[in-house]
Amino acid sequence: MNVARYWRTEKTRYGLVGETCRVCGKPIFPPRDLCPHCTEAGQDLRTFGGKGEVYSFAHVADAPAGYTEYQPYTMALIKLEEGPLLTAQLTDVDEADVRIGMPVEMVTRKLKEEGENGMVVYGYKFRPVIAASR
Amino acid sequence: MREVSIVGIGQTDVGEHWERSLRDLAVDAMIGAIKDSHAERVDALYVGNMLSGELTAQQHLGALLADWGGLGGAEACKIEAADASGAAAVRQGYLAVASGVHDFIIACGVEKTTDADTETSNAAWSYGTDAEYEGNQGVTMPAMAGLMMRRYMHEYGVAREAFAPFAVIAHANGVNNPHAMYRSPISAEAYARAGMVADPISMFDGAPLCDGAAAVLLCPSDIASRFSEKPVRIRASAAATDRLALHSRNDVLFLQAAFLSAQRAFLQAGIGPGDVQFFELHDAFSILAALSLEACGFAERGKATHLAKGGQFDLHGKMPICTMGGLKARGHPIGASGVYQIVEAAQQLRGEAGANQVEAHLGMTQSLGGTGATAITHILEV
């Protein structure tokens, strides 16, 4: 796998960098050339705070190639405080404790390894908000 | 625009074909469709397939299958729209005939998943999601369906067990389909006990990946009676898309593409949902069956499982679904499923559905790609 494919989206994966639409003012994540809400071009970069809540979740028993190391894991839709939904794994949580509406925060974790000589890819996962950090 | 009819159908058994390759399966279905008609030539071939490159290192399926299928020189290419590839190929064939460019078209859907190991084929199946923002996070198709199902259960106060009728109906109907992968009934109790794949998705919520090929031969309706004793008219063919990533949709529980393609198909045919006598829907997961029914207007939002429990969608209910087993019991050879749906609807309308025959002159099919970002609807009539 070509390294460029991954560093291209590095800011988004490491820093939750998205956009605000200059035309309609809505928050956009992940960033894209045309606003998904008003289809106009022209956005300003913004960093999302990384706080949100679980919108939905599924416990994955059969991971695809490249992700079996973490099996079983929980996939979730996260609703960020600023509004957008995103797809991410939950981490540092007991499967039985996951609930819709559970407050979560972003952390950076290893996403996958592409074999012995391949890329090790890092990115965002979400964990329950630790009381002291709220 | 010319009216278009189906004058030939062909299909292989669906399952794990260890002794047959992708081309063997496709050519079998193509020959079946040609022999079923009296067509003397084929002008073009559209191949519906999602993963031949990833799983069997074979692309260029148009030329391959025109060559091995004996269509020497015919125009041919592959059409890809994830799980809806087969339906997209039928639609391309429809457009080619309707426009007057070609008279005789074969649309063939084929998938060969068992030439790769299960982890690889499962990973490849998820390539129909957003690779950078869903696939990269480790999603599987069952996980995506699980995200939709969990939210549905939460918003509508529906238990997991409420989805049982979709699997029970599909398996009941698969029993009498000689081409189906699973020909044994299951009970609601067995559904409730099933092992989890992506909780809340169990092994009885998801259709099995497998091998298979199906084909239809199309020609203009005004000459169709010369090429088939029982031509089936395509009253409508309509496609639509939604945002690719589930997280980018305004409402993850409303299949906008399914809604749009159904509305466009109803408009084209000049009918409404109440006129549809049976519906071959995309039950790759039971939640998609429910959401497809709701998006097309066959159930109010949040009510599909209630109607299913009441027997509405049983073979002899008010509006049967998955009459030959659906994706769940017939099997889901990914890029072929959309063509199987149309072949099975044609069997029903020709009165060739055997023990599963329903009384109908008009039926509808709908194929979804991925989590529903593509939806292709056809309305057929005799």
Side-chain angles (χ1 to χ4, degrees):
Chain A
M1 185 58 71
N2 196 319
V3 176
R5 182 172 177 197
Y6 291 110
W7 62 246
R8 205 182 293 144
T9 54
E10 210 170 65
K11 283 185 178 142
T12 304
R13 276 184 295 112
Y14 293 173
L16 278 189
V17 174
E19 295 165 329
T20 303
C21 178
R22 268 181 229 152
V23 180
C24 73
K26 288 190 174 154
I28 302 167
F29 188 90
R32 43 163 100 193
D33 291 340
L34 300 177
C35 173
H37 306 289
C38 69
T39 70
E40 296 290 338
Q43 295 93 31
D44 296 313
L45 289 179
R46 71 181 284 177
T47 301
F48 287 88
K51 293 273 176 27
E53 64 176 49
V54 172
Y55 188 79
S56 192
F57 60 97
H59 303 299
V60 178
D62 293 326
Y67 297 85
T68 48
E69 163 181 4
Y70 301 103
Q71 180 178 305
Y73 53 82
T74 301
M75 286 306 313
L77 286 172
I78 306 295
K79 188 165 182 60
L80 296 175
E81 276 182 355
E82 297 90 341
L85 278 181
L86 58 77
T87 305
Q89 284 182 34
L90 298 184
T91 186
D92 306 347
V93 64
D94 192 343
E95 186 176 299
D97 295 336
V98 181
R99 297 282 180 274
I100 287 177
M102 185 172 85
V104 289
E105 62 189 4
M106 179 229 171
V107 289
T108 300
R109 291 283 191 274
K110 189 164 81 179
L111 291 180
K112 67 169 172 177
E113 277 186 35
E114 296 186 329
E116 282 287 300
N117 303 310
M119 290 282 293
V120 178
V121 183
Y122 289 83
Y124 48 78
K125 293 187 183 180
F126 283 75
R127 70 178 177 197
V129 173
I130 298 165
S133 72
R134 295 183 79 172
Chain B
M1 293 277 281
R2 300 192 291 184
E3 296 270 331
V4 181
S5 289
I6 298 167
V7 292
I9 56 176
Q11 62 184 316
T12 70
D13 291 347
V14 177
E16 296 173 332
H17 288 283
W18 303 111
E19 67 298 329
R20 303 172 82 193
S21 69
L22 181 147
R23 73 184 71 179
D24 297 334
L25 294 166
V27 168
D28 186 340
M30 289 161 59
I31 290 173
I34 293 169
K35 283 189 173 165
D36 184 54
S37 75
H38 307 303
E40 285 142 18
R41 66 168 212 270
V42 173
D43 302 320
L45 165 70
Y46 297 105
V47 182
N49 171 270
M50 180 180 178
L51 295 170
S52 67
E54 290 81 355
L55 302 184
T56 57
Q58 179 70 66
Q59 293 289 18
H60 215 168
L61 294 189
L64 171 74
L65 298 177
D67 174 9
W68 286 63
L71 306 183
E75 172 182 336
C77 68
K78 164 171 160 171
I79 308 282
E80 190 275 320
D83 310 63
S85 298
V90 173
R91 174 153 170 78
Q92 287 307 309
Y94 168 87
L95 291 173
V97 175
S99 67
V101 169
H102 290 305
D103 290 328
F104 295 96
I105 290 290
I106 288 181
C108 175
V110 60
E111 205 75 61
K112 177 72 185 168
T113 65
T114 59
D115 274 357
D117 61 72
T118 307
E119 267 176 24
T120 304
S121 56
N122 278 338
W125 189 21
S126 73
Y127 294 173
T129 64
D130 184 325
E132 291 187 358
Y133 300 106
E134 293 180 318
N136 204 32
Q137 303 298 320
V139 305
T140 59
M141 292 314 293
M144 296 308 297
L147 293 174
M148 300 170 97
M149 184 167 167
R150 175 93 60 191
R151 189 70 200 178
Y152 188 102
M153 291 159 56
H154 175 81
E155 286 200 13
Y156 299 125
V158 171
R160 196 184 78 76
E161 291 72 24
F163 289 87
F166 296 111
V168 172
I169 291 168
H171 274 260
N173 295 347
V175 170
N176 293 314
N177 177 2
H179 300 294
M181 180 167 180
Y182 295 138
R183 303 194 59 195
S184 50
I186 64 165
S187 64
E189 293 71 33
Y191 174 91
R193 286 196 308 268
M196 287 294 165
V197 179
D199 187 355
I201 296 286
S202 78
M203 58 179 291
F204 280 159
D205 285 301
L209 294 191
C210 49
D211 310 330
V216 291
L217 203 155
L218 310 179
C219 81
S221 293
D222 58 5
I223 57 169
S225 61
R226 284 160 50 193
F227 301 99
S228 170
E229 282 72 44
K230 293 174 187 168
V232 174
R233 283 192 297 150
I234 300 180
R235 286 285 309 279
S237 171
T241 55
D242 194 354
R243 289 183 185 157
L244 179 65
L246 184 63
H247 59 231
S248 295
R249 298 179 195 165
N250 293 329
D251 183 343
V252 303
L253 296 183
F254 189 71
L255 298 179
Q256 180 73 8
F259 168 77
L260 286 175
S261 76
Q263 290 299 312
R264 289 168 188 168
F266 290 146
L267 187 67
Q268 188 186 351
I271 66 166
D275 300 309
V276 174
Q277 295 168 316
F278 69 96
F279 182 28
E280 299 300 337
L281 54 69
H282 188 85
D283 58 331
F285 297 97
S286 52
I287 179 65
L288 290 181
L291 295 178
S292 176
L293 286 163
E294 293 175 10
C296 294
F298 296 118
E300 285 177 43
R301 294 194 60 183
K303 299 292 186 202
T305 61
H306 300 270
L307 293 181
K309 189 182 179 188
Q312 176 102 346
F313 309 124
D314 293 354
L315 192 62
H316 299 294
K318 193 172 164 209
M319 199 199 56
I321 61 170
C322 306
T323 66
M324 301 303 278
L327 279 60
K328 175 71 193 78
R330 175 239 296 130
H332 183 30
I334 309 168
S337 285
V339 186
Y340 272 97
Q341 292 177 316
I342 289 169
V343 165
E344 290 160 357
Q347 286 181 295
Q348 286 288 1
L349 295 169
R350 285 164 34 155
E352 297 170 356
N356 284 4
Q357 186 64 49
V358 296
E359 287 295 316
H361 64 85
L362 186 143
M364 179 162 133
T365 67
Q366 185 175 72
S367 184
L368 304 178
T371 52
T374 295
I376 302 175
T377 304
H378 285 92
I379 295 173
L380 309 179
E381 188 177 37
V382 288

